[in-house]
Amino acid sequence: MARYMEALTVERGGFRIKVPESWWEFDVRPESRDDLIHRMVTERLRQHPELEPHRDTYTTFLRKAAADAWKSGALYCGCMAESFGGDAPITGSVTVSLVGGRTSGGDPLPTDPAAITARLAVKEARKPGDSWRKVTTVDIPGVGPAARTYGIEDIPVPGDELHRTVRAVLTQTFIPVPGQEGKVALVAGSSQVLDLADSFFDIFDAITSTFRFTD
């Protein structure tokens, strides 16, 4: 999975981030995303016809990633769906969202890393195969310290009435937004390819380390 080091800079209102140049990036708005994903998949398979057997896998994954990103308020969503010679593509995604929270009294929650890590819960795996979560802080060059969680987590399926979950590799980094009280930029990376968890932790860390605020 070494190809992720070839980077492409993506810039949006207020931030920029570098992602692997082979990743898919698209408009997540419901009125436009399905048509755009169809055109993107068709174009990618025209360039790589050997991937045609995976068309449905690519399309289903990208549509779900786009829908989840929209529901989370994402400003950016980038996805990978690459074939490395196995039976199925390797998939993962990174989203950037602007989020905030308030206390029960209505005051903005503090966004310094120490305060955020104090609110985040560590989860230990009780037996092999259980989900788990670590809480830490990282230093992002040019930005400063940020709170982070990473682990193998059971993520609720958005809008599912049966409250089902999906198990995934998940990294979440909470970056305080300068000049906006109570606001953080949440950079989240996820993949359902659990066997490659350590590789994805490295990929998500590398991508997040390129995050910068812009004027």
Side-chain angles (χ1 to χ4, degrees), residues 13 29 31 119-120 153 180 183 193:
R29 292 176 299 175
E31 65 270 22
R119 299 196 302 267
L120 299 171
E153 301 208 41
Q180 294 195 35
K183 296 290 186 180
V193 187

Side-chain angles (χ1 to χ4, degrees), residues 57-93:
T57 301
Y58 287 143
T59 302
T60 300
F61 167 71
L62 293 171
R63 285 179 175 173
K64 182 180 184 304
D68 290 350
W70 174 258
K71 290 176 181 177
S72 73
L75 302 175
Y76 166 80
C77 177
C79 301
M80 70 168 291
E82 297 285 339
S83 176
F84 293 90
D87 294 334
I90 305 298
T91 57
S93 65

Side-chain angles (χ1 to χ4, degrees), residues 41-55 58 83:
V41 170
T42 298
E43 178 61 27
R44 182 67 63 91
L45 298 186
R46 184 180 296 119
Q47 298 171 2
H48 302 280
E50 71 277 7
L51 301 180
E52 180 63 40
H54 301 306
R55 175 184 287 271
Y58 287 143
S83 176

Side-chain angles (χ1 to χ4, degrees), residues 45-158:
L45 298 186
R46 184 180 296 119
Q47 298 171 2
H48 302 280
E50 71 277 7
L51 301 180
E52 180 63 40
H54 301 306
R55 175 184 287 271
D56 289 346
T57 301
Y58 287 143
T59 302
T60 300
F61 167 71
L62 293 171
R63 285 179 175 173
K64 182 180 184 304
D68 290 350
W70 174 258
K71 290 176 181 177
S72 73
L75 302 175
Y76 166 80
C77 177
C79 301
M80 70 168 291
E82 297 285 339
S83 176
F84 293 90
D87 294 334
I90 305 298
T91 57
S93 65
V94 168
T95 61
V96 180
S97 307
L98 184 65
V99 300
R102 293 185 176 273
T103 67
S104 57
D107 297 321
L109 288 170
T111 59
D112 63 279
I116 293 177
T117 56
R119 299 196 302 267
L120 299 171
V122 173
K123 182 179 182 180
E124 300 291 344
R126 296 184 178 182
K127 62 181 184 299
D130 280 358
S131 60
W132 57 274
R133 181 194 307 119
K134 302 291 186 183
V135 177
T136 187
T137 58
V138 294
D139 190 71
I140 300 176
V143 175
R148 171 176 291 174
T149 67
Y150 68 96
I152 306 295
E153 301 208 41
D154 293 322
I155 304 171
V157 177

